[in-house]
């Protein structure tokens, strides 16, 4: 973050709130002309501060509003097993987030499903087929209290 000035940080704050702004709209909010803002955006992208631009979808409207946090413990853990597990997880669309965690479990998965029945079949027919899986615990989301896509900068 040493290379970021206050204008860069302001651009990042604004963009994480609304990445659909045009360069002209963004420039007016940071009190610069469009060319320097465009150049700053390209630099922030190329240096990896901005990883990608996405649309935030409504899971309820898309019949994927049943959210589960699934804690996974592998039978054994070494570099090859971890690499294979993460490769398999990358290809499962219902898993929207995966974290390697410390503690009793090895991974925490965020899973979107239409309902409990679907999730039950998912456990049996998808996660249950992963050779290295030892055990799992499911925590069902009853209500989403806060979801912030940005980070505090």
């Amino acid at each position: 973050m040493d290379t970021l000035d206050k204008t860069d940080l302001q651009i990042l704050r604004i963009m994480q709130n609304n990445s659909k702004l045009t360069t002209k709209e963004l420039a007016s909010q940071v009190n610069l002309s469009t060319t320097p803002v465009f150049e700053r955006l390209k630099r922030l992208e190329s240096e990896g501060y901005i990883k990608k631009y996405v649309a935030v979808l409504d899971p309820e409207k898309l019949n994927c509003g049943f959210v589960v946090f699934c804690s996974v413990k592998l039978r054994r853990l070494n570099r090859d097993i971890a690499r294979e597990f993460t490769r398999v997880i990358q290809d499962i669309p219902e898993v929207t987030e995966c974290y390697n965690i410390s503690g009793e479990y090895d991974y925490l998965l965020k899973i979107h499903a239409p309902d409990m029945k679907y999730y039950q079949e998912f456990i049996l027919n998808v996660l249950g087929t992963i050779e290295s899986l030892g055990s799992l615990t499911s925590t069902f989301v009853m209500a989403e209290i806060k979801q912030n896509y940005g980070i505090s900068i």
Side-chain angles (χ1 to χ4, degrees):
M1 262 197 36
D2 296 337
T3 63
L4 299 181
D5 64 17
K6 65 180 182 154
T7 303
D8 290 330
L9 292 172
Q10 186 179 11
I11 288 170
L12 291 174
R13 281 188 207 99
I14 292 167
M15 291 300 290
Q16 74 178 354
N17 187 50
N18 182 3
S19 65
K20 203 172 177 187
L21 291 174
T22 65
T23 305
K24 183 178 180 180
E25 292 168 327
L26 183 57
S28 87
Q29 289 191 33
V30 296
N31 298 314
L32 290 174
S33 63
T34 56
T35 301
V37 168
F38 178 80
E39 290 169 357
R40 283 174 182 262
L41 273 175
K42 290 301 164 202
R43 181 177 53 80
L44 291 167
E45 291 168 1
S46 70
E47 292 179 0
Y49 290 98
I50 298 174
K51 292 169 89 171
K52 68 179 181 176
Y53 299 92
V54 299
V56 178
L57 306 179
D58 184 331
E60 291 289 334
K61 291 186 186 245
L62 297 166
N63 196 30
C64 293
F66 186 74
V67 179
V68 183
F69 286 94
C70 182
S71 301
V72 172
K73 184 167 188 65
L74 301 182
R75 288 184 188 166
R76 266 186 38 238
L77 189 58
N78 65 37
R79 181 175 287 127
D80 293 335
I81 292 170
R83 188 178 298 124
E84 177 60 16
F85 178 79
T86 56
R87 186 198 62 74
V88 169
I89 290 299
Q90 294 290 334
D91 294 334
I92 302 173
E94 291 89 349
V95 177
T96 57
E97 297 178 42
C98 175
Y99 302 94
N100 181 218
I101 59 174
S102 65
E104 185 177 342
Y105 292 94
D106 300 312
Y107 294 91
L108 179 65
L109 312 178
K110 182 177 182 183
I111 299 167
H112 283 264
D115 54 36
M116 177 66 85
K117 180 69 176 161
Y118 184 98
Y119 181 69
Q120 179 185 24
E121 293 295 320
F122 174 79
I123 291 297
L124 295 173
N125 299 317
V126 180
L127 290 184
T129 65
I130 299 174
E131 187 67 31
S132 60
L133 187 108
S135 64
L136 59 83
T137 299
S138 300
T139 303
F140 305 103
V141 174
M142 298 188 323
E144 183 181 290
I145 308 304
K146 178 180 179 181
Q147 187 175 51
N148 187 344
Y149 298 101
I151 55 173
S152 179
I153 53 172

